Amino acid sequence: SQRVVIIGAGIVGTNIADELISRGWSNITVVEQGPLSMPGGSTSHAPGLVFQINPSKTMSAFAQYTVEKLLSLECFNQVGGLEVAETPERLEELKRKHGYGASWGIKSHLLSADECCQIYPLLSKEVVRGGLFIPTDGLALAAAAVQKLIERTSKAGVRYIEKTPVTGIQQDSGRVTGVLTKNRGAIPADLVISCGGLWGVELGAMIDLPIPLQPMEHQYVKTTAIPTRKGVNPPNWASLPILRHQDRDLYYREHGDQMGIGFYGHRPMPVVAASLGETPEHVSDDNMPSRCAFTPKDFEPAWKLSRDLLPALRETEVATGFNGIMSFTPDGGPLIGTAPNLDGFFVAEAVWVTHSAGVARAVAQLLTTGRSELDIADCDLSRFEQVQLSPAYVKETCQQGFVEVYDIIHPLQPRDSPRALRTSPFYARQRELGAFFLEAGGWERPQWYEANSKLLAAVPDKWKPVPRDSWSAQFYSPIAAAEAWKTRTAAALFDLTSIRHLEVSGPGAASLLQALTTNDISSTPVGRVTFTLLLDLKGGIISDIFVTRLSQDTFQLAVNGPLDFKYFSQEAKKQTKKSPERWTQVRDITGGTCCLGLWGHLAKEVMAPVTLDDVSEASLPFSHAKKIHISGIPATITRLSFVGEPGWEICTSADNGLRLWDALMQSGQKHGLIAAGRSAFEALRLETGFRSFGADMSSEYNPFEAGVNYVIDPSKTGYVGCEAIKKLSQTQPQKRLRCLTIDDGRSVVLGKEPVYVDGKVGGYVTSAAFGYTVGKPIAHTYLPASVHDGDSVEIEYFGRRIKATVTPEPLFGLSKRQTAN
Ligand code: FAD
């Protein structure tokens, strides 16, 4: 088998070696700069708390598998996890977390203050209002697990080389060929997996790969013995649950009769790993590169707060403390995946002990089978935009991530800074209209326009927005109702610039697209738009895209994000290498283009005065594109809609954007044209049954389950995932994406809430919005195929059950096939 070199023998590197070996790989070498008995990375001092429930399904699944594996290694002390609330807001957050637990299959119990104190008698009733208990959480014996994994994998043939820093990566013609070490020369390799933890940036720099990771100091102390806990636990052992007091940025675990206290409430202290110096020959608690000197002043607030929460600590002192170093990323997720600039170089970094075995399993699945059973798009190393890779951006956002690590974050909450990194040419006009912006991928995206508030008085009763609870009312304005109403009854302009556009060109362009997509591209005529899917080998959906044929050899693609760009670029490279006469170029043209959706039944009245070209349905039917001039501006328009209304997507180059906006707005004035934001867009999208990639679709679902099999050409063969699709088409899906409408007509959910069928969790909400046209909140969810239209289900929202009905789609307008294709 191929020669694998893993850099780093922390909890991640050793787990990956183990997962690869168990899948039959051999020829694996792990190179570690420190001594194997205590390598000196973050794992060597990690207190090992494992709280499994996370808003992310994938992260929770990583944690569940880590617990399973640590139990099998006998390196897990399953004391349970208790999260307590001091504030009413946290109490509500814990209810939400309980919902996530139910959605992801992790049992948890909401507790009263008294129940918390029964489980954890050291708690002060004065401080605690209630809590959430997760019986399967506990303590990882991370350093011991590493030793067991080293022993087990060594026996299975993995070669470990200690005290050997990797100093360079060897490559030839864009492929990894080995690693260079400081003291043992070169080690040849076909695959290098960088598991260097907080040293990730330095390892990435060896191949000019920016790793968006920031090592940060984080304080941890041990108290002297708590008199009442003497003799209760063996040394360093725990019997009380692990405890989190997130309102105060604190967590706790027992070490025998001492208490360990972790604190995130201090000032951010970023570290440059390169400045830590060489790992010593003998690593010890007092001499370890990942441990910095304790800064007692920073711990003072934690000490006071801890003694308020756990009064027994008033009889103790701080015995020892250190500032440990751990890795943060701009969005808090791990970094997993292949380097875009060097074949055979793989990264698995910024991983907590909590997620380590889960991440390792995903990496091993990816490497051995080409796909991970969990959707890891949100963890992909290449998920960041170019602007998000600058060292300044990484440093600022990671510091913010440190400050907010235990904060209650609303799913729509944008960061305060850095902002306005990417703006469409319409930005100035949008600001004039009082746009409220949210941010995605660095783009400023209007959510609604304050200028439309004047429409609220005119909104008919049927469309009037219903009052919302305080959580779903955040980052929301009733103005969205007026914008949805205007879209359905007149016309609206939506800024679609942030949708990523690629240009795929060259003599191999058609064959590349033909090989990667589910619909027939090769025979589509110029001017035709094809809505199609990208699948993995098992038929999981990895993207949904629009392909417009601009000429015989040129296609414009509307895709989902950086990962699609990476995928097309890599596949184009492979094809070009294999058959140079079929070379293909893939360019990301997003920054140079801008795009508007002009939709509504008056869209044609808006368009008529500003173009001399024929844009009638006869000349430009659904799913067709055409080059025209709008007020003299060259534009490509496509008859396409995401909101179930007639109209066009209009694209031009960025320099023409402002003039395009002005021309349309001016023309639309007498027809009631408004600018509308994403809040209305989401509502209209759900009403038409259009699926959103990343929320309603991911690699964990196939097109039959997601209800998008209508974009598969059944006669087509030879594309990625085709074999799987042929098999899947012979069977009935076990689960299907369904549309729910909420019975009380007012309870808006936000996503990820568990959905109960006959009292048992049957799925979770993948996306949701208030459907203004239908006068009811709407939610998408995957449910067992045995659930039928008209069946009643329940959604758990803040601990209460909301009744909903499975409703046939689309709720509004044209069928999916007509709107999308
Ligand atoms: P590491 O353990 O750092 O391993 C990386 C290895 O790579 C190191 O051994 C290093 O020597 C080696 N290496 C680096 N560069 C080279 C090179 N050039 N050549 C050769 N070898 C190299 N997580 C939790 O889940 N729960 C907790 O309660 C928890 N508490 C924490 C408390 C503190 C104070 C800190 C600092 C972290 C805590 N963490 C916790 C985070 C957790 O410890 C880390 O995320 C995890 O240990 C990282 O594992 P790793 O294998 O990626 O990195």
Side-chain angles (χ1 to χ4, degrees), residues 8 11-12 32-33 41-43 45-47 49 166 325 351-354:
I11 193 76
V12 176
E32 168 56 55
Q33 65 190 4
S42 304
T43 309
H45 60 62
L49 289 81
V166 169
I325 308 176
V351 178
W352 288 37
V353 169
T354 302

Side-chain angles (χ1 to χ4, degrees), residues 175-443:
R175 250 216 93 78
V176 141
T177 55
V179 300
L180 281 173
T181 65
K182 189 170 173 217
N183 42 339
R184 288 178 195 246
I187 306 171
D190 307 302
L191 179 66
V192 171
I193 309 175
S194 181
C195 304
L198 65 96
W199 288 270
V201 175
E202 284 67 19
L203 287 161
M206 294 176 190
I207 60 160
D208 288 331
L209 175 67
I211 300 288
L213 175 158
Q214 176 64 59
M216 307 275 288
E217 289 182 38
H218 155 52
Q219 291 198 304
Y220 192 77
V221 308
K222 279 186 198 169
T223 67
T224 53
I226 303 170
T228 55
R229 301 297 293 169
K230 279 200 173 138
V232 176
N233 299 316
N236 215 26
W237 198 245
S239 50
L240 287 174
I242 53 173
L243 176 67
R244 272 215 283 215
H245 183 26
Q246 293 186 295
D247 283 322
R248 302 296 187 170
D249 294 315
L250 283 158
Y251 65 84
Y252 303 87
R253 63 154 289 184
E254 287 183 296
H255 293 272
D257 53 15
Q258 298 170 277
M259 187 62 78
I261 309 175
F263 186 42
Y264 288 108
H266 53 79
R267 68 199 154 104
M269 295 182 254
V271 177
V272 176
S275 69
L276 296 172
E278 284 186 16
T279 301
E281 187 77 1
H282 300 287
V283 170
S284 67
D285 277 350
D286 302 322
N287 189 13
M288 188 187 292
S290 62
R291 277 173 71 142
C292 303
F294 187 51
T295 49
K297 195 112 198 85
D298 291 302
F299 194 72
E300 275 171 16
W303 189 226
K304 182 188 171 309
L305 291 163
S306 294
R307 285 179 300 169
D308 291 344
L309 181 74
L310 305 170
L313 295 185
R314 291 177 191 154
E315 294 173 55
T316 68
E317 300 295 331
V318 171
T320 56
F322 64 93
N323 293 3
I325 308 176
M326 62 191 291
S327 307
F328 278 74
T329 57
D331 61 5
L335 305 172
I336 306 172
T338 47
N341 60 340
L342 183 61
D343 290 346
F345 190 87
F346 201 96
V347 171
E349 280 154 357
V351 178
W352 288 37
V353 169
T354 302
H355 309 116
S356 53
V359 166
R361 180 178 63 169
V363 169
Q365 287 174 344
L366 207 57
L367 293 173
T368 56
T369 70
R371 96 187 268 276
S372 138
E373 77 191 64
L374 290 169
D375 172 44
I376 53 168
D378 283 350
C379 308
D380 199 298
L381 171 68
S382 300
R383 68 188 179 273
F384 298 98
E385 303 284 340
Q386 285 301 316
V387 285
Q388 297 173 317
L389 293 174
S390 82
Y393 180 91
V394 173
K395 192 168 176 186
E396 179 174 352
T397 53
C398 290
Q399 292 195 53
Q400 189 186 354
F402 180 87
V403 171
E404 291 178 351
V405 71
Y406 278 179
D407 284 4
I408 299 168
I409 308 281
H410 191 276
L412 291 176
Q413 188 172 320
R415 58 174 86 255
D416 292 333
S417 170
R419 286 292 296 271
L421 294 174
R422 305 169 88 189
T423 57
S424 77
F426 322 124
Y427 184 61
R429 293 290 181 267
Q430 292 167 342
R431 291 185 56 146
E432 284 161 20
L433 293 173
F436 179 86
F437 291 98
L438 295 182
E439 183 254 306
W443 285 103

